[in-house]
Amino acid sequence: MTNWIDACAPDDIDEEDVIRFDHGTVSLALYRLEDDRFFATDGFCTHEQVHLSNGLVMGKIIECPKHNGRFDVTTGEAKGAPVCVNLKTYPVKVESGRVFVDLG
Ligand code: FES
């Protein structure tokens, strides 16, 4: 089942940056990469309850602001200690000048 939610305008996210998007009980991190692709993951780091929207995007990597754990935002894969649990990812599409996230 799909459940596309209108999250923001593309320009609400700077290139190579991340914003927080909350919807109901779900909190996401929405990323815009340098090549203008958009991705979404769970917002909270899998190490501790720290929101990744305060982290640093480098290429396709998000670095957690607390202990510098790293994830690949395109897959959610944990890439560097101390994180070892992957992030959940969500499909994203850009349509009619808006960014939509499929919350399933
Ligand atoms: S809280 Fe994210 S790496 Fe520790």
Side-chain angles (χ1 to χ4, degrees):
M1 196 177 92
T2 57
N3 180 21
W4 291 104
I5 304 297
D6 183 340
C8 64
D11 287 344
D12 290 340
I13 316 175
D14 290 335
E15 274 180 34
E16 208 171 25
D17 205 358
V18 55
I19 65 168
R20 178 174 180 151
F21 173 64
D22 295 322
H23 183 80
T25 58
V26 181
S27 186
L28 303 181
L30 290 182
Y31 310 89
R32 180 178 184 174
L33 302 189
E34 258 180 332
D35 59 8
D36 230 18
R37 289 183 299 154
F38 292 81
F39 293 90
T41 70
D42 268 339
F44 288 97
C45 184
T46 57
H47 184 229
E48 288 181 13
Q49 284 292 299
V50 172
H51 210 282
L52 294 169
S53 59
N54 297 318
L56 188 64
V57 178
M58 298 164 294
K60 61 179 187 170
I61 299 294
I62 177 72
E63 185 177 83
C64 176
K66 188 152 187 191
H67 306 112
N68 309 107
R70 294 178 173 201
F71 300 91
D72 182 329
V73 307
T74 68
T75 62
E77 188 184 349
K79 292 299 239 183
V83 295
C84 52
V85 177
N86 296 344
L87 286 171
K88 183 177 179 187
T89 59
Y90 300 81
V92 178
K93 67 179 179 183
V94 179
E95 209 171 82
S96 306
R98 301 292 297 175
V99 178
F100 293 86
V101 183
D102 181 9
L103 296 181

